[in-house]
Amino acid sequence: MARQVDGHSDFRATVIQTRLTSYDLVAYPGYTHPQTHPDRLAVIGVLSGLEPAPVNRCRVLELGCGNGSNLVPMAWGLPESDFVGIDLAAHPIAYGQRMISDLGITNVRLIHGNITEARQDRGKFDYLIAHGLFSWVPAEVREQLLAICRSSLAPQGIAFVSYNALPGGHLRNMLREMMLFHVRGVAAAEERVRQAQALVRFLAEAQDTRDEYRLWLKAELEGILDHDEGHLYHDELAELNEPFYFTRFMERATAHGLQYVGEADYFEMFDHSFSESVRQTLGQLSLNRIVREQYLDFLKCRRFRQTLLCHQEVCLRTEPRAEKVSGFLVSSPARCITSATDLRPGTVSAYQTPKGARCETDFALGKAALAVLERAWPMPLPFEEVLQQAMISSSQERVSDPNDGQARERLSEFLLKLYSAGVVQFRAGLPPIARGASERPVASPVARWQAQHGDIVTSMFHIAVKVEDEIGRHLLSWLDGTLDRKALLERVWFLLESKKALVVPNGDETAARREIELSLENNLEKLARLGLLVG
Ligand SMILES: C[S@@+](CC[C@H](N)C(=O)[O-])C[C@H]1O[C@@H](n2cnc3c(N)ncnc32)[C@H](O)[C@@H]1O
């Protein structure tokens, strides 16, 4: 069943006089988008030659901010910065406002309004976010979105604009059109979703895997079945959902005095996954950066873009600034997939992230750095610390010169290459994340609030985390720093008892308590690793 507005019913009073939009009628799942965080935009801006405002003292505007699930956690994590969100739908805004007032956050405002009528006197913003808006609105709203980027961005500001892209969008449209055909004449939102799901299920189950088309179609259809109902209603079944060729998007952005900085998923701009000859031909076809990106979209059959823009007057660098890497924090989920890391030069080791990004290297200091990052994951470390630790281990193994004057420069360049391959991540700063669970653990107040209202919470890495089990959600909401292990254990015990879920094998209460104690400790450690505990 599609989640109807009843989910927001306690916020109804504030919006009773307002014209409702489709986003009021069917809730859109409010997610956190790590790729829109000002920290991410700042890193890419700095590498590209911009001098963006420091993330811990900046102004952020989000257009089409939905229920604030993206903006409010950012605001909590950056208390000295200022956040403004605007959305046309009243119910999601009321939901976000409730979250803000419950949490007592004072550096964020959510405004109910149309961006075409938005006031222009809110000052300049250092970062502007428009996630999931451009492709879903009529041409005049798209133009206004770009006009706001131009008029509201600070001189060194960065705008994030996501949109559905071509040619991949053609494939997506094919399925969308099948669904729209099937639900033609069906008006009720819930029924449209139900019918569309039924069609997708029918088509998916009908496919055997004898030919390539059927294989592809089956995978696509199964992907749609995983979508949240609100997502399906507003994306696939949306009245407007227009994909664009990158060059066409950039034509419009340029007309508004904006230029291309890069993609928010930095690695998307690179061709590492193609053979040398493909890369050479791509180079020959690439008259300029924009054309190169367009051919890259053809090669990758891109269907979604997350483009960063800035004022056209800014002088951007053609090559990223490796010297800036030493100012970042670095992390990597990559694991060494060859036999135990051998730091000797000439011995190639391969690394891979859970998402499949890969690299191979025989660079001794680089291998030592990746080993340091593997141990520290998920916590980012300052570049200097990575360098120092890598120098120590590589000189202990006598594979690098401890007095190498170029070590910093070489490691910076190496890590920058890995960043462009999606193997390492850079950050400009970090909120106070606990490295482990303390005696009286404290969870982020935002996550505690979210745990009381649903199963998706936001970590301090600005990543959405699904807390599926009820006990986990209760545990998270209790972590306000007042309860020690004994008190937490009591709460878990009583909760299990009240749910008739308490298992006491052979009536041995002591053993049962020990079991719960152990699982409590594991869960607290898990919460810490996910970045949900405050340090
Ligand atoms: C697909 S949702 C995306 C929500 C959120 N940004 C995200 O990506 O999760 C599009 C949002 O844009 C809002 N919207 C559409 N047209 C708008 C307009 N003219 N002015 C302000 N918000 C608008 C909708 O109400 C909806 O919340």
Side-chain angles (χ1 to χ4, degrees):
M1 287 287 140
R3 208 183 309 137
Q4 292 283 327
V5 74
D6 308 357
H8 299 311
S9 55
D10 46 338
F11 307 114
R12 224 171 242 271
T14 41
V15 294
I16 211 93
Q17 299 296 336
T18 313
R19 192 174 153 261
L20 298 182
T21 73
S22 65
Y23 288 92
D24 292 302
L25 299 172
V26 178
Y28 189 75
Y31 284 132
T32 301
H33 305 293
Q35 67 280 23
T36 67
H37 196 284
D39 191 286
R40 171 87 65 101
L41 311 194
V43 163
I44 297 173
V46 166
L47 289 174
S48 310
L50 279 146
E51 301 290 341
V55 173
N56 55 4
R57 271 173 203 278
C58 68
R59 298 197 71 220
V60 181
L61 172 65
E62 183 170 14
L63 305 175
C65 63
N67 68 11
S69 293
N70 196 37
L71 209 57
V72 177
M74 282 180 194
W76 182 82
L78 296 167
E80 306 286 313
S81 296
D82 180 41
F83 296 80
V84 178
I86 301 178
D87 200 285
L88 189 57
H91 288 298
I93 286 288
Y95 179 92
Q97 285 169 342
R98 170 69 70 88
M99 172 166 29
I100 292 167
S101 78
D102 285 356
L103 289 167
I105 304 179
T106 53
N107 60 330
V108 55
R109 271 170 304 154
L110 298 185
I111 297 161
H112 173 220
N114 192 328
I115 65 161
T116 56
E117 294 157 10
R119 276 170 33 200
Q120 297 291 317
D121 60 353
R122 295 186 206 281
K124 299 284 182 195
F125 291 88
D126 304 300
Y127 302 96
L128 192 150
I129 303 164
H131 186 278
L133 188 62
F134 194 85
S135 281
W136 290 265
V137 288
E140 65 274 15
V141 184
R142 292 200 296 269
E143 291 299 309
Q144 177 64 7
L145 189 164
L146 294 171
I148 295 175
C149 291
R150 176 68 189 177
S151 63
S152 297
L153 265 189
Q156 294 287 320
I158 303 167
F160 169 108
V161 183
S162 70
Y163 47 97
N164 286 333
L166 291 170
H170 284 306
L171 301 175
R172 203 171 165 169
N173 257 351
M174 184 175 107
L175 302 179
R176 174 172 139 76
E177 283 165 12
M178 291 181 199
M179 284 182 259
L180 286 175
F181 175 80
H182 186 63
V183 302
R184 70 195 183 287
V186 180
E190 257 184 66
E191 188 57 14
R192 279 172 77 79
V193 171
R194 212 181 58 75
Q195 287 292 340
Q197 284 174 327
L199 175 76
V200 171
R201 207 167 291 116
F202 163 69
L203 293 174
E205 283 166 8
Q207 304 307 320
D208 55 36
T209 49
R210 262 173 304 176
D211 70 45
E212 294 298 315
Y213 166 73
R214 288 177 164 209
L215 256 176
W216 171 82
L217 186 61
K218 194 173 173 62
E220 287 291 313
L221 292 163
E222 284 170 356
I224 292 177
L225 285 174
D226 281 344
H227 286 181
D228 178 282
E229 286 141 352
H231 208 140
L232 182 73
Y233 182 77
H234 291 293
D235 284 351
E236 273 77 15
L237 300 178
E239 203 178 311
L240 258 173
N241 182 341
E242 201 178 339
F244 297 91
Y245 281 108
F246 176 63
T247 42
R248 189 169 154 221
F249 172 80
M250 280 313 303
E251 264 166 34
R252 296 314 312 143
T254 309
H256 284 274
L258 300 162
Q259 66 170 320
Y260 184 55
V261 177
E263 288 300 299
D265 279 335
Y266 194 75
F267 60 87
E268 287 287 9
M269 292 185 289
F270 296 86
D271 53 12
H272 301 299
S273 57
F274 296 99
S275 69
E276 187 49 39
S277 72
V278 171
R279 285 153 70 170
Q280 268 179 19
T281 310
L282 178 64
Q284 287 157 11
L285 290 169
S286 305
L287 298 174
N288 58 42
R289 225 177 142 209
I290 305 299
V291 173
R292 180 180 187 281
E293 285 288 314
Q294 186 58 82
Y295 280 109
L296 209 47
D297 282 5
F298 296 162
L299 279 168
K300 295 185 174 184
C301 194
R302 183 121 62 185
R303 56 175 72 190
F304 189 60
R305 268 194 172 264
Q306 309 184 99
T307 294
L308 306 187
L309 301 167
C310 73
H311 287 292
Q312 66 187 9
E313 292 77 10
V314 176
C315 184
L316 292 178
R317 294 274 300 242
T318 43
E319 289 299 317
R321 301 196 284 187
E323 73 278 10
K324 292 288 178 186
V325 171
S326 60
F328 296 146
L329 296 148
V330 190
S331 63
S332 175
R335 297 277 168 266
C336 184
I337 51 170
T338 37
S339 55
T341 311
D342 183 340
L343 295 185
R344 281 171 303 177
T347 311
V348 175
S349 295
Y351 302 82
Q352 187 167 335
T353 70
K355 287 191 177 164
R358 290 174 60 103
C359 74
E360 286 184 0
T361 184
D362 71 340
F363 174 41
L365 191 63
K367 288 188 284 185
L370 282 168
V372 170
L373 295 174
E374 185 172 336
R375 284 195 297 275
W377 176 257
M379 291 305 283
L381 298 176
F383 172 87
E384 292 302 331
E385 198 177 325
V386 180
L387 174 64
Q388 229 176 51
Q389 287 194 34
M391 291 284 279
I392 292 172
S393 53
S394 58
S395 53
Q396 269 167 357
E397 299 220 5
R398 298 175 198 285
V399 290
S400 72
D401 173 6
N403 301 315
D404 179 0
Q406 299 206 305
R408 168 189 308 276
E409 204 180 316
R410 281 197 271 183
L411 188 62
S412 299
E413 276 166 16
F414 174 74
L415 290 176
L416 182 58
K417 264 196 202 134
L418 298 199
Y419 182 60
S420 68
V423 175
V424 304
Q425 299 165 6
F426 292 152
R427 291 189 65 106
L430 196 65
I433 302 176
R435 281 163 195 264
S438 64
E439 181 49 30
R440 293 171 195 270
V442 186
S444 119
V446 174
R448 290 208 316 263
W449 189 93
Q450 290 171 320
Q452 287 161 21
H453 293 82
D455 57 2
I456 305 278
V457 302
T458 306
S459 78
M460 282 183 284
F461 293 120
H462 203 63
I463 290 175
V465 175
K466 191 164 190 165
V467 187
E468 262 151 338
D469 67 306
E470 200 190 337
I471 310 268
R473 287 196 293 278
H474 277 286
L475 176 62
L476 198 52
S477 66
W478 294 331
L479 301 180
D480 61 0
T482 61
L483 304 177
D484 62 9
R485 293 293 192 284
K486 196 162 160 260
L488 286 170
L489 187 67
E490 284 314 305
R491 290 216 178 180
V492 176
W493 183 275
F494 284 122
L495 181 67
L496 288 172
E497 214 168 36
S498 70
K499 301 262 163 220
K500 306 219 179 314
L502 190 61
V503 183
V504 184
N506 308 320
D508 185 349
E509 255 195 36
T510 316
R513 276 185 186 277
R514 212 174 307 122
E515 194 64 30
I516 295 173
E517 219 169 337
L518 212 68
S519 127
L520 175 64
E521 210 51 52
N522 283 339
N523 280 317
L524 289 173
E525 280 311 316
K526 215 191 250 172
L527 294 180
R529 281 185 70 75
L530 287 167
L532 285 161
L533 301 186
V534 183

